[in-house]
Amino acid sequence: MTQRDRSSPPPRAAADEEDDPYDGRPSKSQLKRDSHALQLLGVELTELSKDGLKKMPMPEKLDEAVREARRITDHEGKRRQMQYVGKVMRSLHEEEVAALRNALDAYNGLSKAETAKMHAIERWRERLLADDQALTEFIAKHPAADVQTGRNLIRNARRDTQQQRPPKHFRELFHWIKAAQGGGPSAKASPGAGETGDDSDEDDDDDY
């Protein structure tokens, strides 16, 4: 049996190569976060009012997919259509996605400074929903935040997305992050915060 040349580096597993941060390609974790963010953006579009929807610069294929999702009332049919909306979202060019985000910001009346803050919160929300380790990092940066409330909101927001339910906890997670960063009411636990229980959709002017 021949000995392996000790001067040569040990072979890496295929999974390591795919996540190599030095090869110029995004990691699988980043791709997962990007995909999830696009899926959630599609959900936001379907939640817009008719007036808001008219102001969105959506390509024809996406426009048809979103409007069809809004018409469907059957739970399973809605779930399948939302998966298709996500697939169409992932086929868009970066410029098209950026135009949609800017249009949403303008529709919600956000200033540039507010937009930057909102996007920073959105990025945290995307990471928290896509990666369990992100909560540990977030709490390290914002130790005053209530860990259990955040964990419950993350779990319930994921469940809402999987079951195609109204994004109630998705929105609550946004406000929890904002509060933890000092931009809103206390992020400490409040009665019923992040609990499962009544999942009925509530009117909310904040589309985040």
Side-chain angles (χ1 to χ4, degrees), residues 33-149:
R33 287 195 293 269
D34 292 346
S35 176
H36 192 67
L38 290 172
Q39 183 76 41
L40 294 176
L41 181 58
V43 171
E44 289 190 57
L45 292 173
T46 64
E47 292 290 321
L48 284 174
S49 65
K50 290 183 179 180
D51 179 63
L53 203 60
K54 292 177 182 178
K55 298 178 181 180
M56 296 299 109
M58 293 189 292
E60 183 177 355
K61 191 173 183 179
L62 177 61
D63 182 72
E64 292 175 352
V66 168
R67 293 182 185 279
E68 180 64 20
R70 289 163 62 88
R71 286 193 292 267
I72 297 175
T73 56
D74 174 70
H75 178 77
E76 181 59 23
K78 182 93 168 180
R79 186 188 67 80
R80 289 196 301 268
Q81 184 63 20
M82 287 307 302
Q83 288 181 334
Y84 177 66
V85 169
K87 180 179 179 180
V88 176
M89 288 294 305
R90 291 189 291 274
S91 72
L92 299 181
H93 296 296
E94 290 184 9
E95 296 80 4
E96 293 174 313
V97 174
L100 280 171
R101 291 191 183 280
N102 290 335
L104 275 171
D105 292 338
Y107 179 72
N108 289 316
L110 298 177
S111 67
K112 289 186 177 180
E114 290 172 328
T115 297
K117 291 179 181 179
M118 296 303 104
H119 285 178
I121 296 173
E122 287 175 341
R123 286 193 294 272
W124 263 117
R125 180 170 59 180
E126 292 165 10
R127 290 187 60 194
L128 290 168
L129 290 173
D131 184 0
D132 290 337
Q133 294 301 317
L135 181 60
T136 300
E137 182 180 346
F138 183 84
I139 295 300
K141 292 178 180 293
H142 308 286
D146 186 88
V147 181
Q148 190 58 46
T149 298

Side-chain angles (χ1 to χ4, degrees), residues 11 27 33 64 73 77 81 152 173 178 205:
S27 67
R33 287 195 293 269
E64 292 175 352
T73 56
Q81 184 63 20
N152 287 342
L173 180 59
K178 183 178 181 181
D205 293 334

Side-chain angles (χ1 to χ4, degrees), residues 2-18:
T2 59
Q3 291 185 335
R4 181 173 54 85
D5 183 359
R6 295 182 180 272
S7 64
S8 62
R12 294 185 305 172
D16 291 337
E17 294 177 354
E18 291 179 4

Side-chain angles (χ1 to χ4, degrees), residues 155-170:
R155 182 183 66 247
N156 292 335
R158 288 171 176 169
R159 186 178 300 159
D160 287 346
T161 299
Q162 292 170 354
Q163 299 180 1
Q164 300 303 325
R165 296 189 297 190
K168 173 184 176 181
H169 298 101
F170 176 72

